[in-house]
Structures are given as structure tokens and as C-alpha cells.
Amino acid sequence: MTKFTQEAMVAMLSDFKRFIPQLSINCVIFRFNGQELQVPIVQPIQDEIWVIPGGFVYQDEDIDDAAKRILYEQTQIDLPILGQFGTYGPADRNFASELSAFKNSILPSDIIDWISQRFVTIGYYSILNRQPVDLKTGPLFKNGRWVNVKETDTLALDHSLLVSEARKVLGSELLSKPLLLSFMPPTFTIPELQKLYEAILDRPIDRGNFRQRILKSDILTKVGVSKEKTKSRPPILYSLDEQRYLNSLTQNIKLGF
Amino acid sequence: MTKFTQEAMVAMLSDFKRFIPQLSINCVIFRFNGQELQVPIVQPIQDEIWVIPGGFVYQDEDIDDAAKRILYEQTQIDLPILGQFGTYGPADRNFASELSAFKNSILPSDIIDWISQRFVTIGYYSILNRQPVDLKTGPLFKNGRWVNVKETDTLALDHSLLVSEARKVLGSELLSKPLLLSFMPPTFTIPELQKLYEAILDRPIDRGNFRQRILKSDILTKVGVSKEKTKSRPPILYSLDEQRYLNSLTQNIKLGF
DNA sequence: TCAAAAGTGTTATAAATACACCCATGC
DNA sequence: GCATGGGTGTATTTATAACACTTTTGA
């Protein structure tokens, strides 16, 4: 088993000459499960560390396409990429020594040399609204799971920083970009939506005021009543009026000092 | 003269082995001259094109440091970098054929091969508040000048796009980042400040309301009256209260849908 | 004394905030 | 019937926006 996965790793990385050198991509994918904001992390076959999905860019490939491909290869999540949150390139950013597969030299030396270089990484983020129960991973990874963004401070390499930076950008874009279209399922309730806002903004919001404002903004259409078993009054189901939602985003440039 | 500058170019680029390959940096520097928002552009010695400052990253250099160094080498502007506005990497992003110095093969072939590769570029922006009357340039450039950001749609390569993207980011950060500290001189008038806001937001603002709100926010300290010759009532001079300004920026996260 | 630009005040409307109160369900 | 969470209304404060009026200067 271990032998096979080592071979798989060699096969996968041995076309490294087709990649742009010293440049990598990392992806932070957000999901809201109704309660908390989560991101997927994966575990390489040769290591016990947890990292966010990441990889390299083929010479003839757009960097945005690379992000989408890498995400799919490592998590089987097929998702349009929404944006970048930053590019990171400290002079000493090389991590080969922290990866046991490379540290223990089970790979050809030319690959080790290639991967041991200093890398600049481009951070991409996106949002997943349908949630597979388990996270499948590609051949180079042995495990994948969803974790609360609040519990990502023990990731390997500089990946805790990357998640934290992606989260900041997400928060600043909640007001100006159509994130709800990506986060929410076709129908949802107002209390669910409020929990998403509270998770992203990381602060409590008054129930009554939230409901009042979101209804006045006229971006929701009532579609019925939740049929899920509740231990209290069943909430009303809404869907997002895409056109009105998109319109409401553009006209929010205030002065604010 | 032309011979010398060709030699200078060869000398400058021949240490290309010390650079990270296929990765470049571009800088958009904003300045407000009291009337309009401007950016510096430069003209390479061998070409008639105008571009924004740009260059490459040394192997042992942070990418942020590279941005600062490149800016200084090409414009003699010594300025802390404020941030990135994006990283651009379409698969066909290679521009050697558009640069006559490379197109006409006056350079060694290994340099031409190196520069002819596909490049990913990291976009950096910053803000200059002191304004040298002329723009000096480094040895690889024959001209430099400040232009209105509204007149940057004829730059070479993809640099018009880069300026446009940097400008978008600037606008979205006016409310949340301390841009005024960088833009404004130690003392200024409220009408001047209003012109800056109008230039960045690209829309007119009511005089009375602007003054009222900026004064109520309590970030300005009166320091006297302008002594410049005016053809009307002389405006009051203010300075920015840095502490109060920084405080006022943090507490502006509204819901806004 | 007039034009030009700076500085001030008034009013109407809309938004943000803090609550109190009622409703539907499961146990 | 009562705990739980969903849904609604109201009153206060604050922000936004439109616009009229006054002041100071140079010509």
C-alpha cells in the first residue's frame, strides 16, 4: 500500500518539468453547513500533517484554471473559483524539509531538488453550497475532512495563515459580492441565513432587526414552510431572488469615515 | 547613446539567472495632486511604448521587497508598498514579441529565451503624497511621467488592465484602510479632501454634507487658514488626527444588502 | 459691488438599534 | 402548560440627502 502510493506520487510529480517552477496555488474552500463555516483540509499519503489543497500550474494553463483543477484533483470538488485572496512569497518560503516524503528521500533527486526550491503561492478561495457528507481525496492524499474555520490554527506549513487571510477577504466581500448565491441552497430560512452572516462577520446580530432588514431589501421570495421536524415553531422557507440580490449589491458605496 | 543603453540593458538583465523565472511584479502608484488621481508610467529605452514599472524577483528576496526595489529602480520613488491588487496569469501571457528590444534580437539568445517565456505577474499598489515635479527613471528607461488614471487606457501589454484593477481595489479600500494618511500632506483643506474622495469614488459629493460628516467624525484638527492666494474666501487648514482616524476605520462593518 | 469658492444651517427622509410582545410546535 | 425558537411591531436615535443661506476674498 505504502509502496503503491509512493509510486503514484512519483508518477504524479515526475512531470514537474511541465509545471511553472517555484510557483504554487493554494485553495481555501468555504462551506456553511447551517451552523458553522467550514473549510476542507487534506492529508498527504506520506505525512501526518494536514494542509489545504495545493499544487502547481502547467506551462500552458491559466492560473485560474489551475486552481480549479487542483481543487478537483485533491478533493473531487468541481467548483468555479470565485477569487484570489493574496499571493505569498517570503524569501524563505520552502517547505520540503517539513514533508517527510521529501525529507526521507524516497523520491528521485531531481524531483527533490525541484520541490526544495523557494515557492511563491497564489491563494484562491471559493464557496461550496452542496455538501457531500464525506470528502473524497485524490491519489496523493490519504484523508480529507471538513473543519470549522475557527479550528484551523494547527495546519502545517503556512496554511493556517492562508486560511486566516482568506477568511478576512471573505468577510470584507460579504457586502459587495454575491456570496449568498454560492453559500445558500435553493431554499432556506431566515434564521439559517442569519447564522451564516454571524459566522462570516463573527459577531451576533439582533434577530428582529436582521429579519426586518433582509425582508425590506426585497431579495427573498417566500416559497412555503419548512417541513423539517422542529421542537418549536416551523420557520418559513425562502429562495433568493437572484436579479434583485445582484442589483442590491451594486449601490452600497457609502463614504464612511 | 543607443549603444550604451543597449549595453546597460544587457548588463541589467544578464543576471536573469538570479531571478525567479516566469514571475514578474508590477507596481501601480497613486498620487493625488490636489485635482486628479495620477499614476506614474515609464518608457523603456528601446521602445516607444508606455508601461507601469515592473520587474523580477531575486531568488533570495521577499516579493514585497522586490516590489519596493523595482519601483525605486525605475522611478527613484522610495515608498513603502501598501498592498497587492491581484495576480495575473493567463496561459498566453508573454510579451517579448511586443517589445522591440527583444523582437529585433539585439540581446543574447539566452536572455531572449528567458524573457520570451510565459510570465505570471503580481500586482502591487501604493500611494505617494509628496510629489516630485518630474519623474526620474532608472537606466533602462528613457522617460517617465505622471498621467491621470482616467487616461491610462492606451498603455502597452496588459498594463491598462492592471491600472484599472488597482483602481477598483483602491476604491473599495477607501472606507476600510487608512489611505488618507498616505494621500494627504501634513495639512490640507476640506475642499481638497473632497476632491480626493470624488476622484477615488468617481462621483460628485455634496459640499455641505461632506464637510458636515467629516467634521462630525472628529478626525481633523484645525491648524490655521490657508495663506495661498485665492480668488475667493481662503479655506481653513486642517491636519489629520491619526489616532482618531485609525479608530474610525475599524467600526464600519455594516450589514448592507 | 459682483463673482467665486468657502463655510454654515435647516429640514425631510431613511436606516440602525434596542427592545417588547405574540405564535406554533414538541414534550 | 411551558420551554423553545420563529415571527412581528414600535419607538428612539442616528445617518443620509437636498438645498438654502451667509462669509470672505480678488478683481
Side-chain angles (χ1 to χ4, degrees):
Chain A
M1 173 65 176
T2 303
K3 224 174 180 183
F4 170 76
T5 50
Q6 287 177 12
E7 283 163 13
M9 185 185 285
V10 172
M12 205 83 169
L13 284 178
S14 66
D15 61 356
F16 64 89
K17 284 176 184 167
R18 295 175 52 215
F19 292 128
I20 294 180
Q22 305 191 56
L23 182 71
S24 64
I25 298 264
N26 281 106
C27 302
V28 176
I29 307 304
F30 294 99
R31 176 184 73 153
F32 178 63
N33 68 355
Q35 295 296 326
E36 58 184 34
L37 203 58
Q38 298 179 315
V39 298
I41 56 177
V42 293
Q43 198 169 34
I45 45 173
Q46 294 296 336
D47 288 277
E48 295 308 307
I49 62 175
W50 289 92
V51 294
I52 60 175
F56 310 110
V57 183
Y58 287 115
Q59 285 289 356
D60 59 353
E61 182 182 42
D62 286 5
I63 57 175
D64 296 354
D65 293 342
K68 186 170 156 61
R69 171 183 55 79
I70 289 163
L71 177 66
Y72 182 75
E73 284 177 358
Q74 300 183 11
T75 65
Q76 312 295 307
I77 296 172
D78 192 3
L79 187 67
I81 291 293
L82 289 181
Q84 295 172 3
F85 59 85
T87 296
Y88 300 85
D92 61 353
R93 194 179 181 285
N94 52 336
F95 295 130
S97 65
E98 298 178 38
L99 298 164
S100 63
F102 302 104
K103 198 167 48 188
N104 301 336
S105 297
I106 61 170
L107 292 168
S109 67
D110 56 347
I111 293 185
I112 291 181
D113 289 345
W114 190 84
I115 202 83
S116 297
Q117 296 179 100
R118 168 253 180 113
F119 273 80
V120 171
T121 199
I122 308 169
Y124 277 90
Y125 75 91
S126 196
I127 297 169
L128 181 68
N129 66 355
R130 275 179 290 256
Q131 49 270 62
V133 177
D134 309 312
L135 201 60
K136 296 172 189 168
T137 56
L140 295 180
F141 296 86
K142 61 183 172 195
N143 271 313
R145 63 189 179 99
W146 290 94
V147 290
N148 190 326
V149 282
K150 292 188 173 181
E151 293 155 12
T152 53
D153 45 6
T154 56
L155 297 180
L157 318 182
D158 59 353
H159 289 198
S160 296
L161 170 69
L162 297 185
V163 172
S164 152
E165 296 275 301
R167 196 174 187 290
K168 274 187 216 161
V169 169
L170 188 74
S172 72
E173 294 190 341
L174 177 58
L175 308 93
S176 59
K177 293 205 172 177
L179 304 188
L180 299 189
L181 289 174
S182 303
F183 267 119
M184 301 310 284
T187 66
F188 53 87
T189 70
I190 289 183
E192 278 171 7
L193 186 61
Q194 181 175 346
K195 278 177 195 151
L196 173 64
Y197 270 82
E198 291 178 329
I200 295 180
L201 299 177
D202 203 21
R203 64 176 169 91
I205 304 172
D206 179 273
R207 267 187 333 113
N209 294 336
F210 182 83
R211 162 171 252 98
Q212 213 168 28
R213 285 180 54 181
I214 203 116
L215 287 179
K216 188 166 47 179
S217 75
D218 208 31
I219 63 175
L220 298 186
T221 311
K222 190 189 281 190
V223 294
V225 173
S226 175
K227 290 157 193 163
E228 289 184 30
K229 279 188 184 174
T230 54
K231 53 179 174 179
S232 65
R233 176 175 180 172
I236 299 170
L237 275 177
Y238 293 89
S239 68
L240 202 56
D241 185 313
E242 188 167 333
Q243 203 53 56
R244 280 204 269 259
Y245 176 49
L246 293 176
N247 286 341
S248 76
L249 291 175
T250 56
Q251 48 218 4
N252 262 318
I253 310 161
K254 311 244 170 95
L255 279 180
F257 12 81
Chain B
M1 172 66 175
T2 304
K3 224 176 183 184
F4 169 78
T5 51
Q6 287 177 13
E7 283 164 13
M9 184 185 286
V10 171
M12 205 82 169
L13 283 178
S14 67
D15 61 356
F16 64 88
K17 285 176 183 165
R18 295 174 53 213
F19 291 129
I20 294 180
Q22 304 190 58
L23 183 70
S24 64
I25 299 264
N26 281 107
C27 302
V28 176
I29 307 303
F30 293 99
R31 175 182 76 153
F32 177 63
N33 68 355
Q35 294 296 326
E36 58 185 36
L37 202 58
Q38 298 179 315
V39 298
I41 56 175
V42 293
Q43 198 169 32
I45 44 173
Q46 294 297 336
D47 288 278
E48 295 308 308
I49 62 174
W50 289 93
V51 292
I52 60 175
F56 311 109
V57 183
Y58 287 115
Q59 285 289 355
D60 60 352
E61 183 181 43
D62 286 5
I63 56 175
D64 297 354
D65 294 341
K68 186 171 155 60
R69 171 183 57 77
I70 289 162
L71 177 66
Y72 182 76
E73 284 176 0
Q74 301 183 11
T75 65
Q76 311 296 305
I77 296 172
D78 191 2
L79 187 67
I81 291 292
L82 289 182
Q84 296 172 2
F85 59 84
T87 296
Y88 299 84
D92 61 352
R93 193 178 181 284
N94 53 335
F95 295 130
S97 65
E98 298 179 37
L99 298 163
S100 64
F102 303 103
K103 199 167 47 189
N104 300 336
S105 297
I106 61 170
L107 292 168
S109 68
D110 55 349
I111 294 185
I112 290 180
D113 290 346
W114 190 84
I115 203 84
S116 297
Q117 297 179 99
R118 168 252 180 118
F119 273 81
V120 171
T121 199
I122 308 169
Y124 277 90
Y125 75 91
S126 196
I127 296 169
L128 181 68
N129 65 356
R130 275 178 291 256
Q131 49 271 60
V133 177
D134 307 313
L135 200 62
K136 296 172 188 166
T137 55
L140 295 181
F141 297 84
K142 61 183 172 194
N143 271 313
R145 62 189 179 99
W146 290 95
V147 289
N148 190 328
V149 283
K150 292 187 173 181
E151 293 155 13
T152 52
D153 46 3
T154 56
L155 297 180
L157 317 183
D158 59 353
H159 289 197
S160 296
L161 171 69
L162 297 185
V163 172
S164 151
E165 296 276 301
R167 195 172 188 290
K168 274 187 215 162
V169 169
L170 189 74
S172 71
E173 293 189 343
L174 177 59
L175 309 93
S176 59
K177 293 205 172 178
L179 304 188
L180 299 189
L181 289 173
S182 303
F183 267 119
M184 301 309 284
T187 66
F188 53 88
T189 70
I190 289 184
E192 276 170 8
L193 186 61
Q194 180 175 346
K195 278 179 194 150
L196 173 64
Y197 270 82
E198 290 178 330
I200 296 179
L201 298 177
D202 203 21
R203 62 177 169 92
I205 304 172
D206 179 274
R207 266 186 337 111
N209 294 336
F210 183 83
R211 162 172 252 98
Q212 216 168 26
R213 285 180 55 179
I214 202 119
L215 287 178
K216 187 165 48 177
S217 75
D218 207 31
I219 63 175
L220 298 186
T221 311
K222 189 189 281 190
V223 294
V225 173
S226 175
K227 290 158 193 163
E228 289 183 31
K229 278 189 184 175
T230 54
K231 53 179 175 178
S232 64
R233 178 175 179 172
I236 299 170
L237 274 178
Y238 293 89
S239 68
L240 202 56
D241 185 314
E242 188 167 333
Q243 203 53 56
R244 279 203 270 259
Y245 175 50
L246 294 177
N247 285 342
S248 75
L249 291 175
T250 57
Q251 48 219 5
N252 263 317
I253 311 162
K254 310 241 171 99
L255 280 180
F257 12 81

